[in-house]
Amino acid sequence: MALVEIPLVSCGQQKINKKIGKKEVERKGVMEIDSKNCEIATFAAGCFWCVEEQFKLLEGVESVTSGYTGGHQKNPSYKEVSTGMTGHAEACNIVYDAERISYKELLGGFFVAHDPTQLNKQGDDIGTQYRSAIFYHDESQKKLAEAIIAELNIEQVYPKNIITEVTTYGEFYKAEDYHQNYFENNPEAAYCQRVIKPKLDKFKKVFKNKVKPKYK
């Protein structure tokens, strides 16, 4: 059983061999860190302010960067992505230490972080930029994501089938600076209190044994 208390497939995750060097970190739009065990997961699960803060809680997650991926326009701005015309999703690049937390565990977090049965929306956030998506970095991530989705659908964990898009990782554009660590920098903002905080409280309860001490 992975982190999340929902049935997950028993197939073992293969070790992702491609490690992250300095140039690759810069190219992939993630914060540079110094760890030989670090790998990347990329998820879209509604507003990236929520996703970023949820995954920051977990032991083994080294950094989370909010940005845009899955679209066709180069170097899009938040204003442009918000129109839904660029094809991008609000997403987070999650750099994690694979010896402390697995990709399978991160997928468990993904399926708790949002409702994967809603098409192009999460709550009041509506549009293709808020779609549910897993952007895989190699075949191991792809196969595990697809297997877990199939299992969750078979077990009818949700009242409707999961519509999460599973697609290859492409160009990732880091969002504007004011989007990074948004909840941490704006804890009293109305959206943070009304939307993000309840999600964080739920996430902490589910993953209480994996939450970093500073967030408990």
Side-chain angles (χ1 to χ4, degrees):
M1 183 66 67
L3 281 174
V4 58
E5 291 303 314
I6 51 180
L8 298 179
V9 293
S10 59
C11 57
Q13 179 194 9
Q14 294 181 357
K15 183 67 174 176
I16 301 172
N17 294 322
K18 184 165 69 173
K19 299 303 178 183
I20 301 173
K22 180 178 180 181
K23 289 184 178 179
E24 185 180 358
V25 166
E26 292 173 347
R27 180 178 65 82
K28 287 180 176 291
V30 296
M31 299 171 67
E32 184 180 342
I33 58 174
D34 182 20
S35 176
K36 65 180 180 179
N37 300 315
C38 281
E39 298 167 7
I40 302 177
T42 304
F43 300 142
C47 175
F48 50 22
W49 295 343
C50 302
V51 180
E52 176 190 62
E53 202 64 28
Q54 286 167 306
F55 281 93
K56 278 171 55 179
L57 299 176
L58 299 179
E59 288 279 8
V61 170
E62 300 287 351
S63 71
V64 184
T65 303
S66 292
Y68 318 113
T69 194
H72 52 77
Q73 180 176 320
K74 291 187 176 296
N75 300 308
S77 67
Y78 178 69
K79 184 177 181 179
E80 291 169 328
V81 172
S82 295
T83 68
M85 301 300 291
T86 70
H88 292 88
E90 290 193 11
C92 287
N93 266 345
I94 301 162
V95 175
Y96 64 101
D97 184 337
E99 292 192 350
R100 298 171 60 204
I101 190 168
S102 69
Y103 186 68
K104 185 175 181 180
E105 289 176 308
L106 292 175
L107 286 172
F110 172 80
F111 287 109
V112 166
H114 75 308
D115 182 350
T117 71
Q118 292 193 6
L119 181 63
N120 298 331
K121 65 172 293 187
Q122 289 296 312
D124 295 332
D125 295 320
I126 300 173
T128 56
Q129 66 270 29
Y130 298 115
R131 66 186 181 271
S132 175
I134 296 168
F135 297 91
Y136 61 85
H137 291 260
D138 61 19
E139 284 299 307
S140 173
Q141 289 188 351
K142 177 186 178 182
K143 290 178 180 178
L144 188 58
E146 290 177 339
I148 288 176
I149 289 171
E151 184 74 10
L152 293 176
N153 282 334
I154 290 171
E155 295 294 330
Q156 298 183 326
V157 172
Y158 299 96
K160 297 183 291 185
N161 276 350
I162 291 169
I163 51 81
T164 300
E165 168 189 334
V166 179
T167 189
T168 185
Y169 180 91
E171 197 72 35
F172 182 95
Y173 299 97
K174 183 180 178 182
E176 295 83 346
D177 286 346
Y178 72 90
H179 289 299
Q180 312 301 326
N181 300 306
Y182 187 84
F183 179 83
E184 184 177 328
N185 294 328
N186 305 274
E188 300 306 319
Y191 188 90
C192 293
Q193 287 296 311
R194 181 174 60 86
V195 179
I196 302 179
K197 190 176 184 302
K199 287 189 174 187
L200 290 179
D201 291 342
K202 173 186 175 183
F203 205 79
K204 286 180 182 180
K205 287 180 180 179
V206 175
F207 302 123
K208 59 184 178 181
N209 295 327
K210 198 71 178 180
V211 173
K212 294 172 183 172
K214 68 178 181 179
Y215 293 120
K216 290 182 177 179

